[in-house]
Amino acid sequence: MSCPICGKDADPKYRPFCSKRCADVDLARWLNGSYVIPGDIADEEERAPSGPAGEDTPPGKPH
């Protein structure tokens, strides 16, 4: 198996990566949003709850 980041042979210690560096590069890509599933943003906004327990919170009022 080859490393998905650089293509070198994977090291069993860091599988599927070849090194800690490549594992960290992959983690950084996840954390900064480089890996995304394409979709319609409007659909996500309609399903996302906007307040505690899905209740709408009026703008400008503290929780």
Side-chain angles (χ1 to χ4, degrees), residues 34-50:
S34 294
Y35 295 143
V36 295
I37 298 173
D40 189 6
I41 294 174
D43 287 344
E44 292 177 21
E45 290 175 354
E46 289 174 9
R47 283 183 262 155
S50 55

Side-chain angles (χ1 to χ4, degrees), residues 9-54:
D9 288 338
D11 182 334
K13 183 177 178 183
Y14 301 106
R15 195 175 67 194
F17 308 102
C18 67
S19 66
K20 181 167 177 11
R21 180 197 165 277
C22 283
D24 289 344
V25 167
D26 184 71
L27 178 60
R29 288 178 183 175
W30 278 105
L31 295 175
N32 74 18
S34 294
Y35 295 143
V36 295
I37 298 173
D40 189 6
I41 294 174
D43 287 344
E44 292 177 21
E45 290 175 354
E46 289 174 9
R47 283 183 262 155
S50 55

